[in-house]
């Protein structure tokens, strides 16, 4: 390929390399394709590589295209929302047209050979002259997740209850309890790992993971209760610490006030100190957590060392004899005691000590790489804490007997008579207290067994302090972080104030203060036994939803579900979700019901408010799957009259131009059938396509805001009729295709161009050709309110044409001045209560029943429920009773509930002469006045004006014309005050009835009627049946 010279870059760009938008490549002269246009596609050698950004931004090929890079996909919101730096499709294949005198110059991003993001890429640009913001503190998987989770999992139960559980359930069943609990947490950990590796995770922790997976409804409800649960958990852990300190003070007779108030005083002081650590920043909080972690490790080592130290007499009196196979064997089997002595009773006590695995995920915004840290840290924390639980239960079960008196006087010689129990073989007789169940020591009676076994007892107390304070600190950090993300999403009112962040880590200081206030409030109550089960159930709710999120995302087969963590199973996740719910009821059934009630209430609120967020949740993917499967399945089902539904293609143009037409169809199709709002954009395809893209979303939002359940679609066509033909042929999907064409009456048919008139009537003929039913609506005030809209936007608006009332997307125009009040009222007529008026149906000709069905569906709605439906049919005066009985019998078989039937015997009477004259005057401008010449002459006269009416056509259609005049007189007599008139639409024979004559019929039929009139004609196939099969 011949090399082309590359012009010198502008100074601003010559110092840059990287990627440009197409505007960078345009020259400054109007109409020019720019200096690079000719060079596109040319090769690059080493000379050009040194001077051409076009070459350096790719792999040495001079082209407008760009190579794949991270920035193209960062912060993308959805399909088609690419970053500006990537050339658009139009940039690549359309003719370049620079803006004259305004060449855009976009400084490209620095060149990167590896395509990786640079630090701070997604942060806001630094303003000139200001120092760059300090880098936020970020943690790795050990410090940020594993240690934090281990500290939150370890708690008071580890030190004070696990030895007692081992005595009750035995080592075997204790291990089973531990492994069952860990199974649930491990499955949840795997689900967290999968969700957190399916895209970039930001701050918000559990709430962020659930809401971005399942959507704002479930995510918002669980986020609020999870943040509250963490805030109350701060109080719970702090009270656990305060009780331990209070007990120490009691032992030394050093109470501050009294036992209850001491808990409050110590608790408030402790949580205030923890708040100070949190406000100092995440770095200080992490240092405090490491200190607590070291204290707990030292207490563990101290305990393990104590188990191998030979037991003193004091320890033996309390039941500790070092490692003995006999003790292990006796403690291996269960020995249930007391009201809590059952497997599930002990399981409910132990399970909360296995929770806490979300502590690392809750600070996801403070992790260096959440996708790596959360899976690795969470699973490692579960593994090491499980090992610690298993080791502790096995070691203490092999060292300490279940019952001991603690008295040194109970030592006896080995083999003494009257001594029962395992301790007799070690020289101790605990038979008396064991039989009376009054022993104070031993695994079954003494909660401080770990402290007694350990090498140095106070270190176990320090471990209890470390476990409680670390858990309290973790919850104190988690609650504001989760709540801050929830506040920023603005799913609930009045909480946005707490979303503000401060400092380099965007610390939620306001959230910290709120959490502190909640924690202090519950500490002052000092009665947490009632609230504790609810909090545990809140955490279990989170586990259940995390597992369900993973299952749901997997089962929907969404292409966007691509977690890099592969070691998960959707069925295991579903099992984990189900087990979490079961455990909720096993722990405390009433607390589970309360938790579910709160979740459902918050869920209902978000569903009602419908927040304007789009996170690509699995619920959206599931909705698509269900719609697709049902649509495909529907195609395999044969249609049946009993299941007939009026599926309407409504020619609205822009829907907001004809709101009454939209409201009318939306009223009887809502929650029942398909409604499509069609718009024909007339003009060149290249000119109208951008308009179509820009306005489609706006029209859909308008329909949603008006609470109309409908789709919007548009087509670009050279003329109106061909556009409607496209819509009628292509609209819909499978069996969900329109079968009724709904359009507005063309009020200005006498003044528009003849071709426009031909197109309008031709659309009706096309609808019948496509086997559509037709529903044509006329209102005295007109349907098109574009003049109202234009006058609202621009009071001085004037237009050249009158409103186009055909409802088919013609040019919206209006006369002059502001809209009248009647037009504004007409636009909302179908949104108001109709009261005790009548819906009058003139079922003059049998069209299959559509003329009856639409008013029936309308009458079922609340706004029209009080209206009485009257049916009018034609008849002969000498057979009125028989014909009425026949129609009443037929209607009763249809079960429509229409009981008021009127026979019109005077339908064939001659109209008033003045009304006949009005009709003749109406068609006079459109007559050929050919004087009954032969057909060839008439055809020659009509060349180029097929809408003209010959004298012969007037004569042949005279009876039908007079019928329309007479029907109008009847409508004015019987239905002047009706809420709605539905009448059978007359059909003009194609090729035999000129369009002007047909429109004159419609004009005459509906002339001077105040109520809305619906002219309906089915496709002559049954839509009603009285058979069961």
């Amino acid at each position: 390929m011949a090399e082309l010279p590359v012009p010198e870059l502008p100074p601003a760009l010559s110092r840059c390399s990287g990627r440009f938008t197409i505007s960078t490549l345009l020259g400054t002269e109007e109409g020019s394709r720019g200096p690079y246009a000719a060079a596109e596609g040319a090769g690059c050698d080493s000379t050009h590589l040194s001077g051409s950004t076009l070459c350096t931004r790719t792999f040495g090929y001079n082209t407008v295209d760009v190579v794949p890079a991270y920035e193209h996909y960062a912060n993308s919101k959805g399909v088609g929302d690419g970053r500006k730096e990537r050339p658009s499709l139009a940039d690549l294949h359309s003719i370049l047209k620079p803006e004259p005198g305004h060449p855009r110059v976009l400084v490209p991003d620095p060149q990167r050979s590896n395509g990786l993001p640079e630090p701070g890429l997604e942060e806001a640009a630094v303003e000139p002259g200001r120092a760059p913001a300090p880098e936020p503190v970020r943690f790795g998987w050990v410090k940020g997740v594993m240690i934090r989770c281990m500290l939150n999992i370890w708690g008071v139960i580890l030190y004070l209850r696990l030895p007692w559980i081992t005595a009750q359930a035995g080592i075997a069943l204790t291990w089973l309890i531990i492994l069952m609990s860990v199974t649930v947490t491990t499955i949840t950990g795997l689900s967290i790992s999968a969700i957190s590796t399916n895209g970039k995770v930001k701050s918000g922790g559990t709430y962020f993971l659930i809401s971005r997976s399942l959507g704002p409804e479930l995510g918002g409800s669980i986020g609020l209760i999870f943040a509250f649960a963490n805030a109350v958990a701060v109080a719970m852990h702090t009270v656990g610490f305060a009780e331990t300190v209070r007990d120490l003070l009691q032992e030394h007779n050093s109470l501050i006030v009294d036992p209850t108030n001491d808990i409050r005083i110590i608790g408030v002081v402790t949580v205030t100190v923890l708040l100070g650590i949190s406000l100092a920043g995440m770095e200080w909080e992490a240092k405090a957590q490491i200190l607590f972690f070291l204290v707990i490790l030292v207490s563990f080592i101290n305990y393990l060392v104590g188990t191998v130290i030979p037991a003193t007499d004091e320890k033996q009196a309390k039941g500790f004899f070092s490692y003995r196979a006999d003790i292990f064997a006796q403690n291996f089997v269960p020995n249930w005691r007391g009201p809590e002595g059952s497997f599930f009773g002990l399981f409910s006590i132990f399970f909360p000590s296995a929770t806490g695995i979300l502590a690392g995920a809750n600070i996801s915004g403070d992790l260096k790489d959440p996708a790596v840290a959360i899976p690795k840290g969470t699973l490692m924390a579960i593994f090491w804490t499980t090992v610690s639980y298993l080791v502790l239960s096995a070691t203490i079960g092999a060292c300490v007997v279940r019952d001991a008196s603690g008295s040194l006087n109970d030592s006896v010689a080995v083999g003494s008579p009257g001594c029962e129990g395992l301790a007799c073989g070690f020289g101790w007789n605990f038979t008396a207290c064991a039989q009376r169940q009054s022993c104070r020591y031993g695994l079954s009676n003494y909660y401080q067994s770990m402290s007694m076994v350990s090498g140095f007892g106070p270190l176990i107390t320090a471990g209890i302090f470390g476990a409680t304070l670390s858990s309290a600190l973790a919850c104190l950090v988690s609650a504001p972080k989760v709540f801050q993300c929830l506040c920023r999403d603005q799913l609930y009112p009045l909480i946005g104030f707490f979303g503000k962040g401060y400092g380099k880590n965007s610390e939620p200081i306001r959230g910290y203060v709120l959490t502190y206030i909640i924690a202090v409030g519950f500490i002052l109550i000092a009665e947490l036994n009632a609230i504790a089960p609810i909090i545990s159930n809140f955490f279990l709710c989170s586990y259940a939803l995390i597992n369900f999120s993973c299952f749901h995302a997997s089962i929907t087969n969404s292409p966007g579900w691509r977690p890099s963590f592969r070691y998960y199973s959707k069925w295991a996740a579903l099992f984990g979700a189900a087990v979490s719910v079961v455990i909720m009821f096993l722990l405390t059934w009433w607390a589970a019901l309360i938790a579910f009630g709160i979740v459902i209430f918050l869920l209902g609120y978000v569903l009602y408010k419908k927040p304007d967020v789009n996170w690509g949740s699995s619920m959206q993917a599931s909705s698509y799957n269900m719609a697709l499967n049902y649509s495909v399945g529907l195609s395999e089902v044969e249609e049946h009259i009993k299941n007939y539904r009026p599926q309407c293609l409504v020619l609205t143009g822009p829907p907001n131009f004809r709101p009454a037409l939209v409201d009318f169809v939306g009223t009887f199709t809502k929650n029942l059938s398909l409604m499509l709002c069609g718009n024909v954009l007339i003009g060149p395809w290249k000119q109208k396509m951008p308009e179509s893209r820009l306005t489609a979303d706006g029209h859909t939002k308008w329909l949603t805001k008006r609470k109309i359940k409908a789709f919007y679609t548009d087509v670009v066509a050279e003329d109106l009729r061909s556009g409607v033909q496209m819509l009628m042929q292509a609209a819909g999907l499978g069996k969900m295709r329109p079968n009724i064409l709904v359009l507005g009456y063309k009020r200005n048919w006498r003044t528009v161009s003849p071709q426009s008139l031909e197109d309008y009537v031709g659309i009706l003929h096309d609808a019948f050709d496509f086997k559509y039913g037709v529903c044509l609506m006329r209102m005295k005030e007109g349907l098109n309110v574009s003049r109202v809209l234009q006058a609202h936007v621009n009071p001085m608006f004037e237009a050249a044409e009158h409103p186009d009332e055909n409802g088919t997307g013609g040019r919206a125009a209006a006369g002059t001045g502001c809209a009248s009040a009647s037009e504004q009222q007409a636009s909302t007529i179908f949104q108001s209560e109709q009261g005790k008026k009548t819906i009058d149906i003139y079922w003059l000709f049998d069209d299959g029943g559509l003329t009856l069905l639409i008013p029936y569906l309308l009458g079922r709605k609340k706004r029209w429920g009080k209206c009485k439906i009257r049916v009018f049919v034609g008849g002969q005066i000498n057979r009125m009773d028989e014909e009425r009985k026949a129609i009443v019998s037929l209607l009763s078989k249809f079960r429509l509930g229409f009981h008021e039937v009127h026979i019109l015997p005077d339908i064939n009477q001659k109209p008033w002469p003045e009304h006949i004259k009005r009709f003749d005057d109406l068609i006079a401008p459109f007559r050929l006045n050919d004087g009954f010449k032969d057909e060839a002459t008439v055809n020659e006269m009509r060349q180029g004006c097929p809408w003209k009416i010959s004298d012969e056509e007037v004569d042949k259609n005279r009876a039908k014309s007079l019928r329309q005049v007479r029907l109008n007189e009847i409508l004015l007599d019987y239905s002047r005050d009706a809420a709605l008139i539905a009448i059978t639409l007359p059909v003009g024979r194609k090729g035999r009835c000129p369009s002007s004559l047909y429109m004159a019929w419609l004009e005459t039929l509906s002339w001077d009627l105040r109520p809305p009139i619906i002219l309906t004609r089915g496709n002559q196939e049954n839509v009603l049946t009285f058979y069961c099969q």
Side-chain angles (χ1 to χ4, degrees), residues 582-726:
V582 170
I583 292 174
M584 287 176 65
F585 285 93
L586 287 177
L587 293 180
T588 319
W589 65 267
W590 57 266
L593 292 177
I594 292 175
F596 275 114
I598 295 174
V599 170
I600 291 171
F601 172 77
L602 295 173
L603 171 67
Y605 175 83
V606 180
L607 285 171
Y608 173 75
K609 295 297 288 184
K610 290 184 175 63
D612 186 19
V613 295
N614 182 12
W615 295 325
S617 67
S618 61
M619 287 298 182
Q620 292 173 320
S622 176
S623 299
Y624 177 85
N625 274 3
M626 290 174 63
L628 180 63
N629 290 334
Y630 283 130
S631 297
V632 173
L634 197 62
S635 300
E636 302 171 1
V637 178
E638 291 186 13
E639 294 179 351
H640 194 282
I641 302 172
K642 284 170 59 178
N643 293 324
Y644 174 86
R645 293 170 186 261
Q647 303 188 115
C648 300
L649 171 60
V650 191
L651 301 183
T652 59
N656 58 327
F657 280 13
R658 295 171 179 82
L661 189 64
V662 172
D663 291 338
F664 164 67
V665 181
T667 301
F668 69 81
T669 59
K670 186 175 184 179
N671 299 326
L672 175 79
S673 59
L674 175 70
M675 176 180 173
L676 274 169
C677 293
N679 183 16
V680 179
L681 300 171
I682 301 173
W685 184 83
K686 291 184 179 179
Q687 179 183 342
K688 292 295 180 179
M689 277 306 295
E691 178 185 342
S692 172
R693 295 193 195 100
L694 288 172
T695 59
D697 286 344
H699 293 319
T700 301
K701 288 178 181 177
W702 182 89
L703 290 169
T704 303
K705 187 176 181 181
R706 205 170 176 90
K707 298 182 179 179
I708 301 294
K709 295 189 175 181
F711 298 98
Y712 170 82
T713 185
D714 54 31
V715 293
V716 179
E718 294 297 329
D719 59 77
L720 181 63
R721 185 174 181 181
S722 61
V724 176
Q725 288 173 345
M726 293 180 199

Side-chain angles (χ1 to χ4, degrees), residues 572-585:
L574 180 62
F575 173 76
V579 169
S580 298
V581 174
V582 170
I583 292 174
M584 287 176 65
F585 285 93

Side-chain angles (χ1 to χ4, degrees), residues 189-522:
L190 295 175
S191 298
I192 291 173
S193 302
I195 296 172
S196 62
T197 57
N198 188 52
K200 186 175 177 62
V201 177
K202 298 182 180 179
S203 61
T206 305
Y207 160 71
F208 184 89
L209 296 176
I210 295 177
S211 62
R212 270 53 176 181
S213 296
L214 285 179
E217 296 83 10
L218 282 172
S221 57
I222 209 65
L224 199 59
I225 66 170
F226 186 77
F228 177 76
N230 273 283
V232 179
V234 175
M236 291 177 59
H237 294 301
T238 306
V239 167
F241 168 77
E243 287 180 347
T244 308
V245 176
R246 190 270 316 267
D247 292 343
L248 290 175
L249 293 176
Q250 273 186 322
E251 287 181 13
H252 297 86
N253 296 319
S254 301
L255 287 176
I256 303 172
V257 182
D258 57 64
T260 302
N261 284 317
D262 279 10
I263 292 176
R264 292 169 176 157
I265 294 170
I266 297 167
V268 171
V269 172
T270 303
V271 79
T272 304
V273 173
L274 293 177
L275 176 66
I277 295 174
S278 301
L279 293 178
M282 288 298 296
E283 197 167 3
W284 284 96
E285 188 267 348
K287 290 177 181 178
Q289 293 284 31
I290 290 177
L291 176 62
F292 294 141
F293 183 71
L294 293 176
V295 169
I296 293 175
L297 284 184
V298 170
S299 71
F300 277 168
I301 294 171
N302 171 54
Y303 159 75
L304 292 174
V305 170
T307 60
V308 296
I309 296 176
T312 62
D313 289 344
E314 290 80 3
K315 288 188 176 183
Q316 287 185 0
K318 295 179 179 180
F320 173 62
F321 297 99
S322 294
Y323 290 107
R324 300 293 176 96
D326 297 347
I327 298 176
F328 182 84
Q330 186 185 54
N331 289 336
F332 191 78
V333 294
N335 181 20
W336 310 112
R337 298 182 185 182
E340 295 170 333
S342 65
F343 180 82
F344 285 109
L346 296 178
F347 177 81
S348 65
I349 293 172
F350 174 80
F351 183 79
S353 68
T355 60
I357 62 172
L358 300 177
N362 285 336
I363 63 161
S364 54
D366 297 299
L367 301 175
K368 291 178 182 176
D369 189 355
V372 173
I374 292 176
K376 198 172 182 181
T378 302
L379 295 177
M380 288 300 291
I382 293 173
F383 174 76
W384 288 117
T385 52
T386 303
V387 169
S388 67
Y389 285 142
L390 295 175
V391 168
L392 178 61
S393 62
T395 53
I396 204 163
C399 296
V400 184
V401 296
R402 284 191 169 103
D403 294 298
S405 63
S407 173
L408 294 174
N409 297 326
D410 287 339
S411 59
V412 294
V414 176
S416 297
C419 182
E420 297 179 3
L422 191 62
C424 297
F426 307 132
W428 293 86
N429 184 5
F430 302 137
T431 305
C433 73
Q435 289 177 345
R436 294 194 305 269
Q437 294 187 352
S438 60
C439 295
R440 294 179 56 199
Y441 295 94
L443 282 182
S444 296
N445 310 293
Y446 188 48
Y447 289 153
Q448 302 283 353
S449 294
M450 274 189 70
S451 180
M452 181 264 294
V453 169
S454 65
F456 183 60
L459 283 178
I460 298 298
T461 304
I464 295 174
F465 288 170
T468 53
L469 292 178
S470 64
S471 297
L473 187 56
C475 292
L476 183 59
V477 171
S478 297
K481 295 281 186 182
V482 172
F483 192 58
Q484 182 185 37
C485 184
L486 178 64
C487 293
R488 287 177 171 173
D489 288 338
Q490 298 181 341
L491 299 182
Y492 298 101
L494 307 177
I495 62 173
F497 173 79
F498 298 99
K500 183 175 175 58
Y502 296 87
K504 58 185 179 181
N505 274 51
S506 188
E507 294 289 350
I509 293 179
R510 296 174 180 177
Y512 282 130
V513 174
L514 178 63
T515 305
Y516 172 77
I517 293 171
I518 294 173
V520 168
F522 280 96

